[in-house]
Amino acid sequence: SSGNERRDWMEPILASGAGAYFDIITHHQYDGNDNVSGRVAEIEAMRSLLVSKGHGDKPVWITEIGWSNQSQAVQHLPGIMAAMNARPWWGKTFWYDSHGGAWGLLGPDGAANRGQPLASFFTYRDVIAASAAPPPTQPPGRAPTGPGILTANGTLKPGEQLASSDGRFVLVYQ
């Protein structure tokens, strides 16, 4: 990207008073010389700006991150996720993008490998599995009240639940 997103974009927003209305701060992170330490330094610089402007209580979500080739993604993704996990203010990281050629986790539309997992998919899967919180436990006496599978045109009513076949995940319609 051109310019400086902190100076050209975030500072004017915070100076306008709009920061008081934000619950989280989102940021797309592609700067930082395409390595973990450079990208983390850029994210920490954004966080420092937020703290200096009185918004240090707001989590930062990286709503886009990725690399332009699979080998860089495989090499750097574990370090980025470890950096996120070590910083409680760094709330979430979202991969860009699911099936966008070299950037994607899956083979792109129009390609022979359309929808097939790429190397970055397996790295992403493994990093998430390694850092996942233990599965939630079902409170006693609260068995799922809905079907285990919601079929096409199926419905849930408030209070009904869907549970994965292994019982590790429960979706509750509130």
Side-chain angles (χ1 to χ4, degrees), residues 30 63-78 81 93-109 111 113-128:
Y30 297 103
T63 50
E64 281 189 18
I65 197 166
W67 287 266
S68 60
N69 69 63
Q70 291 290 303
S71 63
Q72 283 183 325
V74 167
Q75 179 183 358
H76 299 311
L77 178 63
M81 297 305 284
T93 299
F94 297 87
W95 186 271
Y96 177 85
D97 97 86
S98 64
H99 61 284
W103 291 90
L105 298 170
L106 307 172
D109 291 344
N113 67 340
R114 178 179 187 252
Q116 297 300 309
L118 302 175
S120 58
F121 171 88
F122 296 106
T123 301
Y124 196 47
R125 177 200 63 194
D126 294 347
V127 166
I128 289 169

Side-chain angles (χ1 to χ4, degrees), residues 16-169:
S16 76
Y21 300 101
F22 296 159
D23 295 320
I24 60 169
I25 304 296
T26 67
H27 182 58
H28 294 181
Q29 186 53 59
Y30 297 103
D31 299 333
N33 299 321
D34 272 348
N35 62 51
V36 172
S37 61
R39 289 198 181 190
V40 170
E42 288 292 322
I43 294 165
E44 287 181 336
M46 179 63 80
R47 167 70 176 167
S48 293
L49 170 67
L50 296 170
V51 169
S52 74
K53 301 295 183 183
H55 296 284
D57 60 328
K58 300 194 173 137
V60 175
W61 289 12
I62 305 306
T63 50
E64 281 189 18
I65 197 166
W67 287 266
S68 60
N69 69 63
Q70 291 290 303
S71 63
Q72 283 183 325
V74 167
Q75 179 183 358
H76 299 311
L77 178 63
I80 286 291
M81 297 305 284
M84 180 191 84
N85 290 337
R87 292 161 175 82
W89 50 264
W90 183 343
K92 301 197 182 294
T93 299
F94 297 87
W95 186 271
Y96 177 85
D97 97 86
S98 64
H99 61 284
W103 291 90
L105 298 170
L106 307 172
D109 291 344
N113 67 340
R114 178 179 187 252
Q116 297 300 309
L118 302 175
S120 58
F121 171 88
F122 296 106
T123 301
Y124 196 47
R125 177 200 63 194
D126 294 347
V127 166
I128 289 169
S131 65
T137 57
Q138 187 76 358
R142 289 202 58 203
T145 57
I149 296 174
L150 188 61
T151 58
N153 298 319
T155 62
L156 283 180
K157 295 177 184 147
E160 286 187 332
Q161 304 172 16
L162 292 175
S164 61
S165 59
D166 63 4
R168 291 179 45 211
F169 305 98

